[in-house]
Amino acid sequence: DAGVIQSPRHEVTEMGQEVTLRCKPISGHDYLFWYRQTMMRGLELLIYFNNNVPIDDSGMPEDRFSAKMPNASFSTLKIQPSEPRDSAVYFCASSLFVWGADTQYFGPGTRLTVL
Amino acid sequence: SQQGEEDPQALSIQEGENATMNCSYKTSINNLQWYRQNSGRGLVHLILIRSNEREKHSGRLRVTLDTSKKSSSLLITASRAADTASYFCATRSNTGNQFYFGTGTSLTVIP
């Protein structure tokens, strides 16, 4: 398996623009996670899905952020409109649920810069 | 952090020495995991310890868990320059639906 795939790897945009980040989880994994990492706030869980259904989105910072998982092999994280404080590395991770043994596999991340 | 706090925040040691990192958490957990992150990369899973386990080994890694103190430690023995990275603990609540990552320890191993 190719692992978790994220695109784009780097995104530079201007304030106010819409940004869409994409993730393809490992085939067969039933959990998908979106994280944001910054120097100031560390690694934050934004939202996670189980079998394509959002379970906990309490980490989504505000209404400008939205995430979807239309099928088991694809998820998007959208920011509209983007702001400079959204600049961060966004990671997608997936896991196969085995109670007590649920390793998360991370993608390489998308480095987002909002000017 | 909502759940995990690592200490120290940064650690610098000579190659061959042992490195110990600690993690404290707040709520009851199902399991605790340690991950490593090399600069500019995604996190990579190292080891998982279940709430009913006290110690676990994997190669040069030794993890302990004290649920009464809500703490865990990661020991890397005979460190190598390639171990230079940030190390994070991660917990899953015993209700199963909450995941948290700690703030991380930045380890530098000097050749």
PDB file of all heavy atoms in Angstrom, chain B residues 3 13 18 30 37 43 58-59 66 69 74 89:
ATOM      1  N   GLN B   3      -4.730  17.144  26.765  1.00  0.00           N
ATOM      2  CA  GLN B   3      -4.590  15.863  27.430  1.00  0.00           C
ATOM      3  C   GLN B   3      -3.162  15.518  27.780  1.00  0.00           C
ATOM      4  O   GLN B   3      -2.864  15.212  28.917  1.00  0.00           O
ATOM      5  CB  GLN B   3      -5.186  14.766  26.523  1.00  0.00           C
ATOM      6  CG  GLN B   3      -4.968  13.355  26.984  1.00  0.00           C
ATOM      7  CD  GLN B   3      -5.849  12.948  28.150  1.00  0.00           C
ATOM      8  OE1 GLN B   3      -6.170  13.748  29.005  1.00  0.00           O
ATOM      9  NE2 GLN B   3      -6.224  11.696  28.182  1.00  0.00           N
ATOM     10  N   ILE B  13      21.491  15.007  23.984  1.00  0.00           N
ATOM     11  CA  ILE B  13      22.382  14.015  24.584  1.00  0.00           C
ATOM     12  C   ILE B  13      23.451  13.607  23.590  1.00  0.00           C
ATOM     13  O   ILE B  13      23.347  13.875  22.383  1.00  0.00           O
ATOM     14  CB  ILE B  13      21.614  12.756  25.041  1.00  0.00           C
ATOM     15  CG1 ILE B  13      20.900  12.110  23.844  1.00  0.00           C
ATOM     16  CG2 ILE B  13      20.630  13.090  26.141  1.00  0.00           C
ATOM     17  CD1 ILE B  13      20.248  10.791  24.160  1.00  0.00           C
ATOM     18  N   ASN B  18      21.457   7.167  26.983  1.00  0.00           N
ATOM     19  CA  ASN B  18      20.022   6.860  26.992  1.00  0.00           C
ATOM     20  C   ASN B  18      19.220   8.154  27.068  1.00  0.00           C
ATOM     21  O   ASN B  18      19.652   9.138  27.685  1.00  0.00           O
ATOM     22  CB  ASN B  18      19.671   5.990  28.196  1.00  0.00           C
ATOM     23  CG  ASN B  18      20.333   4.632  28.141  1.00  0.00           C
ATOM     24  OD1 ASN B  18      20.798   4.194  27.080  1.00  0.00           O
ATOM     25  ND2 ASN B  18      20.401   3.966  29.271  1.00  0.00           N
ATOM     26  N   ASN B  30      -7.693   4.160  27.209  1.00  0.00           N
ATOM     27  CA  ASN B  30      -7.731   2.788  26.721  1.00  0.00           C
ATOM     28  C   ASN B  30      -6.331   2.324  26.380  1.00  0.00           C
ATOM     29  O   ASN B  30      -5.951   1.193  26.650  1.00  0.00           O
ATOM     30  CB  ASN B  30      -8.634   2.703  25.495  1.00  0.00           C
ATOM     31  CG  ASN B  30      -8.566   1.348  24.823  1.00  0.00           C
ATOM     32  OD1 ASN B  30      -7.744   1.111  23.947  1.00  0.00           O
ATOM     33  ND2 ASN B  30      -9.428   0.445  25.259  1.00  0.00           N
ATOM     34  N   GLN B  37       8.401  12.070  15.068  1.00  0.00           N
ATOM     35  CA  GLN B  37       8.267  12.934  13.917  1.00  0.00           C
ATOM     36  C   GLN B  37       9.630  13.515  13.570  1.00  0.00           C
ATOM     37  O   GLN B  37      10.218  14.253  14.350  1.00  0.00           O
ATOM     38  CB  GLN B  37       7.273  14.075  14.171  1.00  0.00           C
ATOM     39  CG  GLN B  37       7.042  14.957  12.958  1.00  0.00           C
ATOM     40  CD  GLN B  37       6.067  16.096  13.217  1.00  0.00           C
ATOM     41  OE1 GLN B  37       5.989  16.628  14.313  1.00  0.00           O
ATOM     42  NE2 GLN B  37       5.305  16.462  12.196  1.00  0.00           N
ATOM     43  N   LEU B  43       3.981  11.958  11.381  1.00  0.00           N
ATOM     44  CA  LEU B  43       4.323  11.166  12.550  1.00  0.00           C
ATOM     45  C   LEU B  43       4.355   9.685  12.208  1.00  0.00           C
ATOM     46  O   LEU B  43       3.572   9.208  11.378  1.00  0.00           O
ATOM     47  CB  LEU B  43       3.306  11.408  13.675  1.00  0.00           C
ATOM     48  CG  LEU B  43       3.471  12.699  14.468  1.00  0.00           C
ATOM     49  CD1 LEU B  43       3.078  13.927  13.670  1.00  0.00           C
ATOM     50  CD2 LEU B  43       2.677  12.629  15.767  1.00  0.00           C
ATOM     51  N   SER B  58      10.384  -2.668  22.706  1.00  0.00           N
ATOM     52  CA  SER B  58      10.474  -2.890  21.273  1.00  0.00           C
ATOM     53  C   SER B  58      11.849  -2.424  20.829  1.00  0.00           C
ATOM     54  O   SER B  58      12.121  -1.227  20.740  1.00  0.00           O
ATOM     55  CB  SER B  58       9.377  -2.109  20.542  1.00  0.00           C
ATOM     56  OG  SER B  58       9.523  -2.248  19.138  1.00  0.00           O
ATOM     57  N   GLY B  59      12.727  -3.378  20.574  1.00  0.00           N
ATOM     58  CA  GLY B  59      14.091  -3.011  20.201  1.00  0.00           C
ATOM     59  C   GLY B  59      14.767  -2.178  21.274  1.00  0.00           C
ATOM     60  O   GLY B  59      14.849  -2.592  22.439  1.00  0.00           O
ATOM     61  N   ASP B  66       2.000   4.150  34.074  1.00  0.00           N
ATOM     62  CA  ASP B  66       1.489   4.150  35.444  1.00  0.00           C
ATOM     63  C   ASP B  66       0.126   4.831  35.413  1.00  0.00           C
ATOM     64  O   ASP B  66       0.039   6.051  35.420  1.00  0.00           O
ATOM     65  CB  ASP B  66       2.463   4.890  36.366  1.00  0.00           C
ATOM     66  CG  ASP B  66       2.085   4.791  37.840  1.00  0.00           C
ATOM     67  OD1 ASP B  66       0.878   4.582  38.134  1.00  0.00           O
ATOM     68  OD2 ASP B  66       2.960   4.938  38.688  1.00  0.00           O
ATOM     69  N   LYS B  69      -0.807   7.240  38.283  1.00  0.00           N
ATOM     70  CA  LYS B  69      -0.224   8.586  38.200  1.00  0.00           C
ATOM     71  C   LYS B  69      -0.553   9.263  36.880  1.00  0.00           C
ATOM     72  O   LYS B  69      -0.159  10.408  36.655  1.00  0.00           O
ATOM     73  CB  LYS B  69       1.294   8.521  38.379  1.00  0.00           C
ATOM     74  CG  LYS B  69       1.741   8.045  39.749  1.00  0.00           C
ATOM     75  CD  LYS B  69       3.259   8.028  39.848  1.00  0.00           C
ATOM     76  CE  LYS B  69       3.701   7.573  41.232  1.00  0.00           C
ATOM     77  NZ  LYS B  69       5.186   7.494  41.350  1.00  0.00           N
ATOM     78  N   LEU B  74       9.081   7.062  27.975  1.00  0.00           N
ATOM     79  CA  LEU B  74       9.713   6.412  26.832  1.00  0.00           C
ATOM     80  C   LEU B  74      11.207   6.491  27.037  1.00  0.00           C
ATOM     81  O   LEU B  74      11.759   7.581  27.185  1.00  0.00           O
ATOM     82  CB  LEU B  74       9.314   7.100  25.525  1.00  0.00           C
ATOM     83  CG  LEU B  74      10.068   6.645  24.275  1.00  0.00           C
ATOM     84  CD1 LEU B  74       9.716   5.204  23.924  1.00  0.00           C
ATOM     85  CD2 LEU B  74       9.761   7.565  23.084  1.00  0.00           C
ATOM     86  N   CYS B  89       3.503  11.614  22.754  1.00  0.00           N
ATOM     87  CA  CYS B  89       2.624  10.582  23.271  1.00  0.00           C
ATOM     88  C   CYS B  89       1.206  10.892  22.803  1.00  0.00           C
ATOM     89  O   CYS B  89       0.855  12.051  22.551  1.00  0.00           O
ATOM     90  CB  CYS B  89       2.680  10.491  24.794  1.00  0.00           C
ATOM     91  SG  CYS B  89       2.047  11.927  25.684  1.00  0.00           S
TER      92      CYS B  89
END
